Amino acid sequence: MQEDTIPPAAGEARRRALESIAGMKAECFPGSERIYLDSPGGARVPFRQINLKAPNPPVVVYDTSGVFGDPAATLDLHVGAPGIRSGWIRRLPLESREIPGHPDHFIRTPSRTVRRARKGEAVTQLALARKGIVTPEMEFVAVRESQKTDPREQGAYTGEQIRQEVASGRAIIPANINHPELEPMIIGSRFLVKVNANIGSSSMGSSVEEEIEKMVWAVRWGADTVMDLSTGRRIAETREAIIRNSPVPVGTVPIYETLDRAGGVPEDLSWELFREVLVEQAEQGVDYFTIHAGLLRRLIPLAARRLTGIVSRGGAAVAKWCMTHRQENFLYEHFPEICQICADYDVALSLGDGLRPGSVHDANDEAQFGELKVLGELTRTAWDHGVQVMIEGPGHVPLDGIELNMRKEIEDCHGAPFYTLGPVITDIAPGYDHFTSAAGASVIGWHGCAMLCYVTPKEHLGLPGREDVRQGMVAYKIAAHAADLARHHPLAAIRDNAMSKARAEFRWNDQFALAMDPYTAKSMFLENSGQKICDHDFNFCSMCGPKFCSVRISREIRELAAREGLL
Amino acid sequence: MQEDTIPPAAGEARRRALESIAGMKAECFPGSERIYLDSPGGARVPFRQINLKAPNPPVVVYDTSGVFGDPAATLDLHVGAPGIRSGWIRRLPLESREIPGHPDHFIRTPSRTVRRARKGEAVTQLALARKGIVTPEMEFVAVRESQKTDPREQGAYTGEQIRQEVASGRAIIPANINHPELEPMIIGSRFLVKVNANIGSSSMGSSVEEEIEKMVWAVRWGADTVMDLSTGRRIAETREAIIRNSPVPVGTVPIYETLDRAGGVPEDLSWELFREVLVEQAEQGVDYFTIHAGLLRRLIPLAARRLTGIVSRGGAAVAKWCMTHRQENFLYEHFPEICQICADYDVALSLGDGLRPGSVHDANDEAQFGELKVLGELTRTAWDHGVQVMIEGPGHVPLDGIELNMRKEIEDCHGAPFYTLGPVITDIAPGYDHFTSAAGASVIGWHGCAMLCYVTPKEHLGLPGREDVRQGMVAYKIAAHAADLARHHPLAAIRDNAMSKARAEFRWNDQFALAMDPYTAKSMFLENSGQKICDHDFNFCSMCGPKFCSVRISREIRELAAREGLL
């Protein structure tokens, strides 16, 4: 909350971010337009439609960019995004109060309404699902996941199907009642694989403006959720700016802010301080909390013996507290109270893997799997409180150990969705850990992981900047899509097949439009082949030149084969 | 062979390459030095030794950079590398003749000795292995793969073990008797996973100088073999320049040069023209040939029906020839003669997958697997001629279809080593196909693939340049190493564990030295954290700042645990 000034070294980056924010316009990727499908609940569900050369039908894709991807929208980041859930939230049994704004903060609104469940009332998506209620969020998600507005259409999800998945605990819809700006989304192994982008400042760098810019970049490049991991200055102000503008669920690790309030001294953490932070963040609208409640005291010696010990920041802080005070983890001891707070605001729990391995050497060891068993026990407790749960996973795991993680998580945590950081499949490539981890992420996604937490090229080296966020997002959208393909998701192959057809027909601009990163694809093409080839859809490129193009020869073969009646 | 001038557009790139070649010095990566271990056969086997802060032992790694990685060497690219195999080759039953040089070519030597097996004499590594002969190449490989000079040491390979693997056909040592500059290496599923780098010009770009520079970059960044896929100007001169300087096996696809001589018209291909090219390339010293002999006429209609038809350049040309002339593939018909040529020079065969899928849609189809069965039949024929064989594989395959490719290859091709291009696991990320394919490559490597053919970011977009070669190599070295780790290769984890220990001890410079790409790792670190942190091994970085560092807190926990006797 402190109003520290930005350190001079960071001035340049902040100036750039300020300019970027001031000039920010809502826009779509080239070759695409924003479309909306109506959900049966009356909401407009956003998609990106990639338009191709006639007579090829457009390809419609999931769109996370919210208001930033709708060219018809006007942006005011100092006010925040429109509250598309406001009407839905008002119908819940809530109590509310007004809290004043901070005119000198990034968000300049004079006041804001803060809501919580009325005593004894259940307002979480899980509790409502169990009561048989199909919420507007579930209706929204049904359209979003299937691209179908009419539940009777082939391949459509009904709101009722979504409700059943949420009720069973196999999927969650993180949607704090204080985050009306959110476009609801679902995390579960039967749905499209999701990607989270970590952003947030450290004491050595970044500003509110840079973090907002990273959030916008993240959702433009496809982040399904963002986690604000700020540990630097102005933590609460940064988070407020992110939540008010974020079209996707925002997660946090509340122990970070608690540790900041404890002066950075793990020994000075306390349940009371933690509780205060939890309530404040829940009132702000945080959609899910990472809580390291499974890191029990008895597991710490197992982790201390490792090559890389405890690499989770929250896990290390909690373990230090336990060791110093010779007491059980207070997050474990107070877990039912944590659940009660989450239930009051519908904050989902992301049960943290404080003992995740920090090296392939430490992967799949007793410490890690011991904690996972505790997370399974906590899952039951959370579900008893009507709180939605997902489980965090590693980290660093060699390729041959990945599937085991998924299998154990399903068994030990009763089918709650898995949410993994990578895993990194080798430790020797700092600077490329977006890739070493996305490769592992694609494999665990294929085996059923519901959400992949991205890693940027800066992992193990420094705080990521805007370009690192983009690189991390692209690598992870590829991983998630490859996992969807491998899981035979009915929507996944449509885009691949459209790309392959565009390749076979030399539709260069269509290839760029269909690409995960149209800008890079086009600029690489132009580097050697030039604008003319692309404007005229010439049937060759610089890779093989006009004489040696297999795609062109292959077309001739098809014609020959057709003429001979061989097709 | 034509002495065309370089097109003006490419002039700048060529000028830069000329300068780069003129100023080229042999050098090691930062923090490393070149060391040699003596093989029992008397050869000096090169390694890179990564030196770490005392008392940490150095880490020794496989080194493909040849003379370019030995700071003690003086380079003259116009003459070529030292012929370390010359003495070994002279002892074989060969006949030889002198051929004059081309004073206006890149290689300026006045003449060169060309050798071939004397009639009736067997000189291939396979034939010698079957006779029970442990060749100097096998002795060299034994040290190279195990880092052990004394065959009695724990974990050492003996030359005899290498001989057995080669004799069984499960591994190959591509080593043309006309490539004395080669440092022998082995390709087989029981050895370290290898990486091939494709280089070569197209008619739309590049020059001899640029291709030589790409070769040097490729081996510096770890290429175990390079394929010269030139289809542009001065094909033979480019290849000569590459072979004379290359410390690694050089592969080609001879149908490319044949097609060039046929004026780029597939219908004008002929066995006679092809035979001429084969012999010339074998005499130049090409170590392995990709031959698309498995693409039978009856398989073509299956491929023509596909979404992306035939994407192999060689495959498309051959198929066009078959369709036009209504004749069986002449490479299949003349396969025994091809084998005889290969046997005369010890050129290994890389049986090409002319029908590899060009999209995830076409993966694992009847055309692809039909061709694979034919490759198995051809493998037997080649082995009967004493010719070493590996099998080429796809291409584009979704994650869930990769393992099947490996299984079928082992079954259908009798255990011959598999050599795959990627596979790409999704088609929608042009500009990132080094990554989409390296992710697939890591998985197939884990399942037993012996060599991975890299893909650069330019794949599907244009001809790769020097920087693309580097990006492709780094992605694939990561994939190959991750596969080695997953296969529990005894040498693989040493480097990962050294990196993890350096991380836990904040030895920043050691982390950079151990990194796959030390330059990128260090520059990313300096971007936010600065030189001082790295010079003094400060115990934090910009990622979390000094207060929130889990690695530091974890060290304190370990001390606490040790003090309480918990470790």
Side-chain angles (χ1 to χ4, degrees):
Chain A
M1 304 283 234
Q2 58 270 59
E3 281 302 298
D4 290 356
T5 51
I6 302 297
E12 185 47 45
R14 190 195 175 196
R15 226 179 342 269
R16 201 196 37 70
L18 272 169
E19 260 174 46
S20 154
I21 286 172
M24 200 177 273
K25 275 193 197 70
E27 58 182 347
C28 244
F29 275 11
S32 292
E33 65 181 304
R34 165 61 64 91
I35 63 162
Y36 289 93
L37 297 179
D38 293 325
S39 89
R44 299 168 74 221
V45 183
F47 292 92
R48 177 159 72 94
Q49 177 170 298
I50 305 172
N51 294 315
L52 306 177
K53 197 171 179 176
N56 298 283
V59 172
V60 174
V61 297
Y62 197 105
D63 190 347
T64 58
S65 62
V67 70
F68 302 101
D70 182 351
T74 24
L75 304 178
D76 185 346
L77 280 82
H78 297 287
V79 170
I84 73 154
R85 292 175 66 220
S86 299
W88 308 341
I89 291 167
R90 266 196 299 272
R91 294 202 292 270
L92 294 169
L94 305 173
E95 56 191 37
S96 67
R97 68 177 208 279
E98 287 294 298
I99 56 164
H102 298 262
D104 52 347
H105 275 197
F106 187 90
I107 295 293
R108 294 173 189 155
T109 46
S111 71
R112 192 170 69 81
T113 307
V114 168
R115 296 181 167 85
R116 56 171 285 167
R118 279 205 297 267
K119 207 162 174 75
E121 298 279 2
V123 299
T124 68
Q125 297 290 323
L126 175 56
L128 298 171
R130 282 180 182 159
K131 283 186 180 175
I133 297 169
V134 175
T135 64
E137 285 82 359
M138 295 170 198
E139 299 276 15
F140 190 98
V141 158
V143 176
R144 199 166 195 189
E145 287 287 328
S146 66
Q147 300 186 4
K148 304 285 191 303
T149 49
D150 184 341
R152 287 161 308 183
E153 274 181 275
Q154 179 85 32
Y157 287 112
T158 61
E160 170 58 20
Q161 285 170 319
I162 302 297
R163 185 198 67 73
Q164 286 173 17
E165 280 298 297
V166 173
S168 75
R170 279 191 305 269
I172 66 171
I173 299 176
N176 186 324
I177 53 169
N178 288 309
H179 189 192
E181 301 87 353
L182 174 75
E183 295 176 347
M185 54 78 73
I186 195 161
I187 301 167
S189 63
R190 302 194 179 183
F191 302 101
L192 289 162
V193 177
K194 304 303 188 295
V195 175
N196 170 68
N198 285 343
I199 58 173
S201 60
S202 84
S203 64
M204 288 178 69
S206 201
S207 58
V208 178
E209 291 76 15
E210 284 162 82
E211 293 310 318
I212 275 286
E213 199 195 5
K214 282 187 211 165
M215 183 279 284
V216 175
W217 267 71
V219 300
R220 275 200 171 144
W221 286 98
D224 293 287
T225 77
V226 297
M227 289 195 77
D228 174 16
L229 304 184
S230 291
T231 57
R233 293 161 190 82
R234 308 199 292 174
I235 294 181
E237 182 192 350
T238 304
R239 191 173 52 239
E240 179 75 16
I242 289 169
I243 295 172
R244 296 285 74 80
N245 283 291
S246 177
V248 303
V250 176
T252 61
V253 186
I255 200 87
Y256 293 177
E257 189 173 8
T258 315
L259 194 51
D260 185 67
R261 293 194 194 178
V265 182
E267 296 84 328
D268 293 349
L269 290 168
S270 72
W271 162 245
E272 291 68 30
L273 212 49
F274 188 77
R275 196 192 177 287
E276 188 180 295
V277 169
L278 274 196
V279 172
E280 282 180 30
Q281 295 199 3
E283 291 192 340
Q284 243 179 346
V286 171
D287 301 288
Y288 62 92
F289 287 151
T290 292
I291 307 273
H292 299 96
L295 197 169
L296 297 193
R297 209 178 151 199
R298 64 174 162 83
L299 299 171
I300 299 172
L302 298 176
R305 276 178 219 135
R306 287 169 158 177
L307 183 56
T308 43
I310 301 177
V311 294
S312 150
R313 288 192 284 186
V318 166
K320 182 85 187 287
W321 185 92
C322 294
M323 289 296 293
T324 313
H325 296 285
R326 299 168 191 243
Q327 281 179 33
E328 189 51 279
N329 181 346
F330 63 84
L331 301 171
Y332 181 80
E333 298 287 333
H334 292 274
F335 192 69
E337 292 154 87
I338 293 172
C339 291
Q340 194 49 54
I341 294 169
C342 290
D344 286 346
Y345 302 92
D346 200 3
V347 180
L349 277 171
S350 185
L351 295 178
D353 53 339
L355 299 181
R356 67 169 178 268
S359 54
V360 294
H361 180 274
D362 295 342
N364 296 3
D365 70 353
E366 222 184 321
Q368 181 197 336
F369 286 146
E371 185 185 35
L372 187 64
K373 275 203 179 299
V374 184
L375 299 188
E377 176 200 317
L378 298 171
T379 300
R380 294 255 192 238
T381 308
W383 283 349
D384 289 347
H385 285 81
V387 174
Q388 306 187 92
V389 178
M390 59 182 168
I391 308 293
E392 294 187 9
H396 294 238
V397 185
L399 274 169
D400 63 313
I402 291 178
E403 192 181 353
L404 178 66
N405 274 273
M406 191 67 230
R407 227 163 46 227
K408 275 195 170 284
E409 191 273 343
I410 295 282
E411 280 167 29
D412 289 351
C413 299
H414 327 296
F418 206 19
Y419 165 35
T420 62
L421 179 65
V424 161
I425 57 173
T426 168
D427 299 327
I428 64 169
Y432 298 84
D433 279 334
H434 58 317
F435 162 51
T436 64
S437 64
S442 69
V443 173
I444 204 159
W446 160 34
H447 289 301
C449 185
M451 185 156 77
L452 312 173
C453 182
Y454 88 168
V455 165
T456 78
K458 282 277 178 65
E459 187 74 16
H460 301 111
L461 294 169
L463 192 70
R466 189 178 73 157
E467 173 58 15
D468 302 306
V469 168
R470 194 181 67 78
Q471 289 287 344
M473 276 313 306
V474 173
Y476 270 72
K477 289 300 280 186
I478 291 170
H481 183 79
D484 287 334
L485 267 182
R487 280 153 70 163
H488 303 276
H489 191 289
L491 294 177
I494 295 172
R495 189 165 168 189
D496 292 74
N497 295 347
M499 173 69 85
S500 298
K501 190 161 181 283
R503 277 192 179 134
E505 295 173 0
F506 295 100
R507 285 180 277 116
W508 297 108
N509 283 313
D510 285 357
Q511 292 176 49
F512 309 146
L514 285 162
M516 199 62 97
D517 175 355
Y519 307 98
T520 297
K522 185 167 185 179
S523 86
M524 282 192 180
F525 182 84
L526 291 182
E527 215 174 286
N528 302 90
S529 295
Q531 186 70 46
K532 203 169 156 192
I533 292 178
C534 142
D535 285 346
H536 296 275
D537 286 346
F538 279 158
N539 59 7
F540 59 89
C541 77
S542 72
M543 191 158 190
C544 309
K547 280 203 295 201
F548 288 85
C549 176
S550 63
V551 179
R552 184 181 49 71
I553 299 173
S554 185
R555 277 217 293 204
E556 295 164 9
I557 293 167
R558 189 199 295 248
E559 284 155 23
L560 280 170
R563 224 177 294 150
E564 301 202 7
L566 296 171
L567 292 192
Chain B
M1 307 284 233
Q2 59 272 61
E3 279 303 298
D4 289 353
T5 50
I6 302 298
E12 185 46 47
R14 192 194 173 197
R15 229 181 338 271
R16 200 195 38 68
L18 272 169
E19 261 174 44
S20 156
I21 286 174
M24 202 178 271
K25 278 196 195 68
E27 57 182 348
C28 245
F29 275 12
S32 291
E33 63 181 304
R34 164 63 63 94
I35 62 161
Y36 289 93
L37 297 179
D38 293 326
S39 91
R44 298 169 73 220
V45 184
F47 291 93
R48 177 159 71 94
Q49 177 170 298
I50 305 171
N51 294 315
L52 305 178
K53 198 171 180 175
N56 298 282
V59 172
V60 175
V61 297
Y62 196 104
D63 190 348
T64 58
S65 63
V67 71
F68 303 102
D70 182 351
T74 24
L75 304 178
D76 186 347
L77 281 81
H78 297 287
V79 169
I84 72 153
R85 291 176 65 220
S86 299
W88 309 341
I89 292 168
R90 266 197 297 273
R91 294 202 291 269
L92 294 170
L94 304 174
E95 56 191 37
S96 67
R97 68 177 207 278
E98 286 295 297
I99 56 164
H102 299 262
D104 52 348
H105 275 196
F106 187 90
I107 296 293
R108 295 174 190 154
T109 46
S111 71
R112 192 170 70 80
T113 307
V114 169
R115 297 180 166 86
R116 55 171 285 166
R118 278 205 297 267
K119 208 161 172 75
E121 297 280 3
V123 300
T124 68
Q125 297 290 323
L126 175 56
L128 298 171
R130 282 179 182 162
K131 282 188 181 173
I133 297 169
V134 175
T135 64
E137 284 83 359
M138 295 171 197
E139 298 277 15
F140 189 98
V141 158
V143 176
R144 200 166 195 190
E145 287 286 329
S146 67
Q147 298 186 4
K148 303 287 191 300
T149 50
D150 185 341
R152 290 161 306 186
E153 274 181 274
Q154 178 85 33
Y157 287 112
T158 61
E160 171 57 21
Q161 285 171 318
I162 303 296
R163 187 198 65 74
Q164 285 172 19
E165 280 297 297
V166 172
S168 75
R170 279 193 304 271
I172 66 173
I173 299 178
N176 186 324
I177 52 168
N178 288 308
H179 190 192
E181 301 86 354
L182 175 75
E183 295 176 346
M185 54 77 73
I186 195 162
I187 302 168
S189 63
R190 302 195 179 179
F191 302 101
L192 289 162
V193 177
K194 304 304 189 293
V195 175
N196 169 68
N198 286 342
I199 58 173
S201 60
S202 85
S203 64
M204 288 179 69
S206 201
S207 57
V208 179
E209 291 76 15
E210 284 164 81
E211 293 312 318
I212 273 288
E213 198 195 4
K214 281 186 211 167
M215 184 278 284
V216 175
W217 267 71
V219 300
R220 274 199 171 143
W221 287 97
D224 293 286
T225 76
V226 296
M227 289 195 80
D228 175 15
L229 304 184
S230 291
T231 57
R233 294 163 190 80
R234 308 201 289 175
I235 294 183
E237 181 190 348
T238 303
R239 192 173 53 239
E240 178 74 15
I242 290 170
I243 295 172
R244 297 285 74 80
N245 282 290
S246 176
V248 303
V250 176
T252 61
V253 187
I255 199 86
Y256 294 176
E257 190 174 7
T258 316
L259 194 52
D260 185 65
R261 295 197 192 176
V265 182
E267 296 84 327
D268 294 348
L269 290 168
S270 71
W271 162 243
E272 291 67 30
L273 211 51
F274 188 77
R275 197 192 175 287
E276 187 182 297
V277 168
L278 273 197
V279 172
E280 283 181 28
Q281 295 199 3
E283 291 192 339
Q284 242 179 348
V286 171
D287 300 289
Y288 63 91
F289 288 150
T290 293
I291 307 273
H292 299 96
L295 197 169
L296 297 193
R297 209 177 151 201
R298 65 175 162 81
L299 300 170
I300 300 172
L302 298 175
R305 276 178 221 135
R306 287 168 159 179
L307 184 56
T308 43
I310 302 177
V311 295
S312 151
R313 289 192 283 185
V318 166
K320 183 84 186 289
W321 186 92
C322 295
M323 289 297 291
T324 312
H325 297 285
R326 297 169 194 243
Q327 282 180 33
E328 188 51 280
N329 181 347
F330 64 85
L331 301 170
Y332 180 80
E333 297 289 331
H334 293 273
F335 192 68
E337 292 155 85
I338 293 171
C339 291
Q340 193 47 58
I341 295 169
C342 290
D344 285 346
Y345 303 91
D346 200 5
V347 181
L349 278 172
S350 185
L351 295 179
D353 54 338
L355 299 181
R356 68 169 177 269
S359 54
V360 294
H361 180 275
D362 295 341
N364 295 5
D365 71 353
E366 224 184 318
Q368 182 197 334
F369 286 146
E371 186 185 35
L372 187 64
K373 274 203 179 299
V374 184
L375 299 187
E377 177 200 315
L378 297 171
T379 299
R380 293 258 191 235
T381 308
W383 284 349
D384 288 345
H385 286 80
V387 174
Q388 306 187 90
V389 178
M390 60 183 168
I391 307 294
E392 295 187 9
H396 294 238
V397 185
L399 274 169
D400 63 314
I402 291 178
E403 193 182 352
L404 178 66
N405 274 273
M406 192 64 231
R407 227 163 45 226
K408 273 192 172 288
E409 191 273 341
I410 294 282
E411 280 167 27
D412 289 351
C413 299
H414 328 295
F418 206 19
Y419 165 36
T420 62
L421 179 66
V424 161
I425 57 173
T426 167
D427 299 325
I428 66 169
Y432 298 84
D433 279 334
H434 58 318
F435 163 51
T436 64
S437 64
S442 68
V443 173
I444 203 158
W446 160 35
H447 289 302
C449 186
M451 184 156 78
L452 311 173
C453 180
Y454 88 169
V455 165
T456 79
K458 282 277 178 64
E459 186 73 15
H460 301 111
L461 294 169
L463 192 70
R466 188 178 75 159
E467 172 58 17
D468 302 307
V469 168
R470 195 181 68 78
Q471 289 286 344
M473 275 313 307
V474 173
Y476 270 72
K477 290 301 281 186
I478 291 170
H481 183 80
D484 287 334
L485 266 182
R487 280 153 70 164
H488 303 275
H489 190 291
L491 294 177
I494 295 172
R495 189 164 168 191
D496 291 74
N497 295 347
M499 173 68 86
S500 298
K501 188 160 182 281
R503 277 192 179 134
E505 294 172 1
F506 296 98
R507 286 180 277 117
W508 296 108
N509 284 315
D510 284 356
Q511 292 176 50
F512 308 146
L514 286 161
M516 198 63 96
D517 175 355
Y519 308 98
T520 297
K522 185 167 186 179
S523 87
M524 280 193 181
F525 181 85
L526 292 182
E527 215 174 287
N528 302 89
S529 294
Q531 187 69 46
K532 203 169 157 190
I533 292 180
C534 141
D535 286 344
H536 296 276
D537 286 347
F538 280 159
N539 60 8
F540 60 89
C541 76
S542 71
M543 191 158 190
C544 309
K547 278 203 297 202
F548 288 87
C549 176
S550 63
V551 180
R552 186 182 48 72
I553 298 174
S554 186
R555 278 217 294 205
E556 295 163 7
I557 293 167
R558 187 197 297 247
E559 284 154 23
L560 280 170
R563 222 176 299 149
E564 301 202 6
L566 295 171
L567 292 193

